[in-house]
Amino acid sequence: FFLLLNLMEGGWVEARDTLREWRDTSVRDSERISDLGEPLILDHSSKLGDELWLVCEQVYIAALDIGNYDLANVCIEKLSDRFPKSFRVQKLRAMELEAKGQFDEAMEVYKELEKEDPTNAAIRKRKIVILKAKGSYGDAIKSLVLYLQTFMADHDAWLELAELYIKYNDYDKAAFCMEELLLSNPFNHLYHQRYAEIKYTQGSRDVARQYFAQAVKLSSNTNMRALYGLFLADGDDKKKDNQYAAWTAKIISAKYKDVWSEDGFESSPASKITPVADLPQLTAS
Amino acid sequence: HPVEVSCKAFTKLQLHAAKYPHCAINGLLVACKQTLKESKAIEIVDAIPLFHQCIELTPMLEIALTHVDAHCHANDLFVAGYYEAPQHLPSSIEPSIFGSKIADKIHGNLESVLSGEKGKSLAHLVVIDNKRITKTDSVNFFEKANEGKWKRCSQKDITFQENCEPVLMHLLNRKVARDIVDFDNHLDDISAHWLNHAVNQDKMLHFC
């Protein structure tokens, strides 16, 4: 609310910068995007220059996401006026059909657009999303696999496919997707961690341990999931030497001590998180 | 065993769903041991939001379960169930395969945790009906049948604390959903606690 009041005086700059950051990092907080973007578009559009069009597109999608069709209309009309015969604007218009659940109609529009430009990746992705939304996950997966045969450098698409496979408990294929990502992004600690989680779920504890360890190293000991994962994967009763588990337990305990002694939560017994080193030994499941 | 859902549990579960309307979510339901001993009722006193991404992976789930077990042990509580909300609007309300496995594990654990009580029909699996969200009837309870499958409970066995729905609407209007912390949030920033003390202490929750 403070941010909205500030927009009167010059807080519009902060709003514009926040929206820019959220575009770069693909944040999906549609309510806040609409709250920030609406006054920018309505009252400060002249100050945005060409960035106005990116903001309109971002706010349009956010407005559709929360069902604010009035705001969506304002955005799409502005875009339409500026870019009258735009392919991209036609795609955006079809997204309103998706938002309203009119999937078959939206699919028809996308098929037409695809005929006009068969190389357009965005249109193919919208078709896949419709299949997902309708619950046709098998078809969505098939389409996405086909898409990746052409657009094999699309990292987001590989991640999406991995997530779809995970949802359907096809851990083998999910692992394969992560392997593709690891080949092209060997220093990404998040990919190592996700791969380790999949391998652990499959029961490949040793492989999981290796990849959790890599993720810990690549993240300079900051990736909590990797730290916990390494603790878990190394905490096998049958092994004689659980040196990694002991080491990670120390690191995790230290991190919690740092955080909790500052906030004073340590004093309240009800809120105590048992330090990992004191946790009952996890039994092999 | 009749089930009583507290205002706190109901609202936290719904707030978790409201924070991530575009994701599948899951979490745990925690009940009071004392109430079970005294009145044989399962009083669900709290909901612990767990994840909103890659729900079907096990390592972080194991860590979360360990933490929640320790919390329950220290506070005379027990893990009584598991809740999940699907990502989209499915045509029927059914537990997911993965969710059923987690609920099976909880059901199995209950026998050892509650010495003296039979584990049968103590554990519950909750599937949220996305179309009925914010209403108490969006919370669908399943219990373990003799054949091992999770089947829908009769509505008459489930009661919700009075004023659940108006309290929830009030919290939603104040955007409290943004402050809900699930285990995924905790793993991203361990200073955020998955017990949600701030929400627990919200004045509105004392109006139930």
Side-chain angles (χ1 to χ4, degrees), chain A residues 60-285:
Chain A
Y60 170 76
I61 294 172
L64 285 182
D65 215 9
I66 60 171
N68 185 342
Y69 298 114
D70 289 335
L71 176 56
N73 254 336
V74 167
C75 298
I76 199 72
E77 288 309 311
K78 275 195 194 289
L79 284 167
S80 232
D81 287 340
R82 175 65 184 85
F83 303 101
K85 293 208 179 85
S86 161
F87 190 85
R88 190 158 154 179
V89 170
Q90 287 178 70
K91 180 202 88 174
L92 289 175
R93 278 198 187 279
M95 283 174 78
E96 182 170 345
L97 294 170
E98 280 188 66
K100 291 180 171 162
Q102 297 170 278
F103 297 122
D104 295 331
E105 289 87 337
M107 188 61 105
E108 283 310 308
V109 176
Y110 293 137
K111 284 188 177 147
E112 281 304 312
L113 288 174
E114 200 180 5
K115 274 193 208 131
E116 269 183 57
D117 182 5
T119 64
N120 190 294
I123 299 295
R124 289 183 67 173
K125 288 201 263 197
R126 297 280 6 120
K127 287 171 67 190
I128 292 168
V129 164
I130 289 182
L131 291 169
K132 231 183 117 175
K134 285 170 79 173
S136 310
Y137 292 101
D139 290 336
I141 288 176
K142 278 195 203 118
S143 295
L144 191 44
V145 167
L146 214 59
Y147 169 88
L148 281 164
Q149 282 171 10
T150 312
F151 299 95
M152 53 194 83
D154 188 337
H155 298 155
D156 284 339
W158 281 111
L159 271 175
E160 176 73 36
L161 184 56
E163 279 172 28
L164 281 172
Y165 280 133
I166 288 169
K167 239 189 193 15
Y168 287 90
N169 305 329
D170 192 340
Y171 300 114
D172 254 329
K173 299 221 180 75
F176 174 80
C177 294
M178 295 314 301
E179 282 159 14
E180 287 293 316
L181 283 168
L182 282 168
L183 273 174
S184 48
N185 304 269
F187 301 112
N188 186 317
H189 67 94
L190 296 170
Y191 291 164
H192 281 86
Q193 165 227 308
R194 177 61 42 85
Y195 184 67
E197 288 181 279
I198 296 168
K199 297 313 282 183
Y200 184 93
T201 308
Q202 286 181 291
S204 306
R205 226 169 172 151
D206 285 336
V207 177
R209 196 191 66 241
Q210 283 171 41
Y211 281 87
F212 278 131
Q214 260 301 76
V216 167
K217 194 165 110 183
L218 287 168
S219 69
S220 311
N221 301 357
T222 58
N223 184 328
M224 277 314 287
R225 289 179 180 80
L227 283 166
Y228 268 127
L230 182 53
F231 171 79
L232 257 189
D234 196 49
D236 196 336
D237 285 341
K238 296 189 223 102
K239 284 174 69 217
K240 281 174 283 179
D241 173 20
N242 303 72
Q243 54 169 350
Y244 290 115
W247 178 80
T248 47
K250 276 209 195 83
I251 300 222
I252 294 173
S253 278
K255 282 185 190 289
Y256 276 107
K257 277 205 186 78
D258 277 340
V259 160
W260 294 113
S261 48
E262 273 170 33
D263 291 353
F265 270 105
E266 247 189 2
S267 51
S268 156
S271 62
K272 224 182 192 61
I273 303 182
T274 312
V276 170
D278 299 338
L279 284 174
Q281 189 68 25
L282 296 164
T283 51
S285 46

